[in-house]
Amino acid sequence: MKNTYIQRVLHETRFRNADEPEFLQTVEEIVATLEPVMAAHPEYEKYCVLERLIEPDRVISFRVVWEDDEGNYHVNRGYRVQTSSAIGPYKGGLRFHPSVNLSMMKFLGFEQTFKNCLTGLPMGGGKGGSDFNPHGRSDNEIMRFCQAFMTELYRHIGPSCDVPAGDVGVGSQEIGYLFGQYKRIKNQYENGALTGKHMPYGGSPLRPEATGYGATYYLNEVLKHNNDTIEGKTFALSGYGNVTWGAVKKITELGGKVVAISGHDGYVYDENGINTDEKIDFLLDMRASRRNRVADYAERFGCQYFPGKKPWGIKVDVCMPCAIQNEVDVEDAERIVAAGTKYYIEVSNMPTTSDALAYLLGQPGIIVAPSKAVNAGGVAVSGLEMSQNSERLTWTDEEVDAKLHAIMKNIHDQSAAAAEKYGYGYNLVAGANIASFIKIADAMVAQGMV
Ligand code: 2IT
């Protein structure tokens, strides 16, 4: 790294955020790709654009007290990190998972800011959640937790302030409970304050499918660039939740074959493909059961199950990590390359460790696509949900699908163009960072010292 501005900012960032490893990881990875941009735009240094973007607008932390079905009290920590409102209201999901901490919230908010910008829709970036563990909890317990969480969060959000949505552990059911409590406290029907709602009260068609469909549309553009198609390709995916489900559905529809999915407990290998409505819908049943076991799929459909193992290194054409951050390390990456996989398509937020990503980007035989571009279809349809809410109407499935498709193609094309322009060739990782950063930076410069 030669750029002295970037060096200085990274030094300060490491010092100030020493106990936030995931946040440092994402800042370092993104900033490293911006070197040619800083050389071309000296005004960004003059106006401290990087320092301002790295320091969130606001970090909110609060206590959440709730009661389980036996009458016991529990205390969890809730967060909302409002990273940037340079191009729109803060926007990003809520994660309920025992591993949630400040570092994770800040890294997800930082990634989200770039991702949201890539969609071309007017959304800033943020993230929130709690270290609450939904595993094994009843519906009533989930509802009481969501109500307690919203009783604090409501004062920080709103349709033109901050618009949360789902993420790991938060789906449309949780969003329903959160929205009910928001409406009760505010006595206002502001359905634009949350996205990922059920259809009857302001949800968008295709929001549940959006992340997985969008990822597949993006992959399609990568394949087209390579004179290739999805037809006949084999896939290994991690996860079994909402995102994996949507991707499996669309991949199958377009003629690809998914042979592996995974959970916390291991992975299943279904050589016939996860390609019938019954099999695909079973993923939704597993998520709804909150049992956290992908072994249930192997038992139900009689296929192989590998406890404690990740689905990397199987002989497939495409790998798509869809589960959690840092789920692919160097050894996994080496296995993926050794298996002859041609496309490594990140879907979950920052699924690749820094070392593994550097290794994969150095391999000529594999194309790498970054999660902030690939999974942007989810938040893009959230943005379309906001538009529908503010216009008080609902579009058709076809209308939303056409817009999602166009947005994903545009994300790919603008990333490829930005990478080319700044000397990276067809590097989709650098291209996504550059295309979004320039737009956010220009908005910040235009708005003065804030
Ligand atoms: O990581 C993500 O982009 C999400 N969890 C969705 C965020 C949103 O506001 O729809």
Side-chain angles (χ1 to χ4, degrees):
M1 180 96 46
K2 289 195 278 313
N3 186 288
T4 52
Y5 174 45
I6 291 186
Q7 277 179 6
R8 176 169 57 76
V9 171
L10 280 180
H11 182 77
E12 286 167 5
T13 303
R14 288 186 195 112
F15 184 75
R16 198 174 267 153
N17 305 281
D19 52 355
E20 294 169 8
E22 291 97 343
F23 179 56
L24 278 177
Q25 182 182 338
T26 194
V27 170
E28 287 180 5
E29 281 179 17
I30 291 178
V31 168
T33 60
L34 299 177
E35 214 167 350
V37 178
M38 294 308 164
H41 292 269
E43 72 275 20
Y44 295 160
E45 176 171 2
K46 174 165 181 229
Y47 294 116
C48 294
V49 167
L50 263 186
E51 298 93 311
R52 287 197 277 153
L53 199 54
I54 289 168
E55 188 62 25
D57 284 7
R58 208 165 288 109
V59 172
I60 299 150
S61 164
F62 50 93
R63 180 180 65 240
V64 185
V65 190
W66 58 283
E67 188 183 6
D68 69 21
D69 288 343
E70 278 75 51
N72 305 306
Y73 280 33
H74 294 266
V75 178
N76 283 98
R77 185 174 289 175
Y79 295 99
R80 189 69 182 168
V81 174
Q82 298 177 329
T83 307
S84 166
S85 60
I87 63 164
Y90 308 109
K91 180 87 196 87
L94 299 171
R95 179 174 291 194
F96 292 169
H97 194 271
S99 64
V100 162
N101 58 31
L102 183 60
S103 168
M104 191 188 295
M105 296 289 99
K106 284 176 67 176
F107 114 66
L108 288 164
F110 196 67
E111 282 278 300
Q112 194 81 44
T113 302
F114 290 78
K115 177 197 322 197
N116 293 1
C117 180
L118 283 173
T119 67
L121 302 172
M123 299 181 288
K127 203 82 189 188
S130 174
D131 56 5
F132 169 72
N133 188 358
H135 173 56
R137 289 293 170 196
S138 71
D139 274 345
N140 276 326
E141 288 173 329
I142 299 285
M143 180 180 73
R144 282 195 298 275
F145 178 81
C146 288
Q147 291 176 340
F149 184 85
M150 184 53 85
T151 302
E152 272 304 316
L153 184 68
Y154 87 93
R155 66 187 82 240
H156 305 292
I157 66 172
S160 49
C161 168
D162 183 354
V163 185
D167 192 79
V168 174
V170 179
S172 55
Q173 181 57 78
E174 289 77 12
I175 292 293
Y177 296 142
L178 290 163
F179 178 67
Q181 182 74 349
Y182 179 83
K183 188 180 59 151
R184 175 158 74 172
I185 296 174
K186 294 210 65 174
N187 195 28
Q188 297 281 316
Y189 197 87
E190 295 174 342
N191 61 6
L194 288 164
T195 64
K197 301 179 292 292
H198 285 120
M199 284 293 290
Y201 64 96
S204 173
L206 249 58
R207 179 63 188 88
E209 292 87 349
T211 310
Y213 279 21
T216 313
Y217 293 148
Y218 183 98
L219 167 65
N220 229 348
E221 297 306 315
V222 176
L223 290 164
K224 252 195 261 167
H225 180 92
N226 233 35
N227 295 319
D228 211 344
T229 67
I230 287 195
E231 189 76 45
K233 293 261 174 324
T234 51
F235 289 74
L237 273 57
S238 59
Y240 63 92
N242 176 258
V243 174
T244 307
W245 166 77
V248 174
K249 236 173 111 156
K250 187 51 86 178
I251 291 165
T252 306
E253 188 188 311
L254 298 180
K257 183 162 109 172
V258 179
V259 294
I261 55 169
S262 72
H264 312 268
D265 54 328
Y267 81 88
V268 296
Y269 181 73
D270 185 346
E271 62 178 340
N272 298 320
I274 302 168
N275 51 12
T276 63
D277 287 350
E278 195 191 356
K279 286 178 175 180
I280 295 172
D281 288 347
F282 191 74
L283 271 57
L284 296 180
D285 297 343
M286 286 197 291
R287 161 71 171 82
S289 77
R290 298 196 188 101
R291 278 160 57 82
N292 273 7
R293 273 163 49 92
V294 81
D296 290 356
Y297 179 97
E299 280 160 28
R300 173 79 171 69
F301 297 105
C303 59
Q304 283 175 283
Y305 169 60
F306 298 87
K309 294 266 185 297
K310 302 193 246 181
W312 313 129
I314 308 172
K315 225 179 135 33
V316 287
D317 302 306
V318 188
C319 283
M320 297 174 77
C322 303
I324 202 86
Q325 69 279 351
N326 288 329
E327 54 172 304
V328 176
D329 61 23
V330 177
E331 283 157 26
D332 297 323
E334 284 168 356
R335 275 195 278 273
I336 287 170
V337 169
T341 296
K342 286 212 186 59
Y343 302 96
Y344 178 76
I345 310 295
E346 293 188 336
V347 187
S348 50
N349 292 309
M350 202 170 76
T352 321
T353 65
S354 283
D355 294 354
L357 186 63
Y359 167 78
L360 287 167
L361 287 170
Q363 300 297 312
I366 190 161
I367 290 181
V368 179
S371 55
K372 71 171 72 61
V374 177
N375 74 27
V379 74
V381 173
S382 277
L384 301 177
E385 185 172 332
M386 290 162 72
S387 303
Q388 293 169 83
N389 293 156
S390 65
E391 291 183 43
R392 299 176 189 271
L393 49 74
T394 308
W395 295 325
T396 63
D397 283 25
E398 291 72 26
E399 285 171 312
V400 175
D401 197 34
K403 288 181 205 297
L404 171 63
H405 207 144
I407 288 170
M408 297 314 298
K409 178 173 168 16
N410 184 46
I411 292 175
H412 170 269
D413 293 352
Q414 59 170 323
S415 302
E420 193 62 49
K421 178 170 175 195
Y422 285 91
Y424 281 100
Y426 188 64
N427 179 333
L428 296 167
V429 177
N433 294 339
I434 292 169
S436 46
F437 176 77
I438 289 176
K439 191 172 153 191
I440 298 165
D442 288 348
M444 290 171 71
V445 170
Q447 290 170 37
M449 194 195 288
V450 289

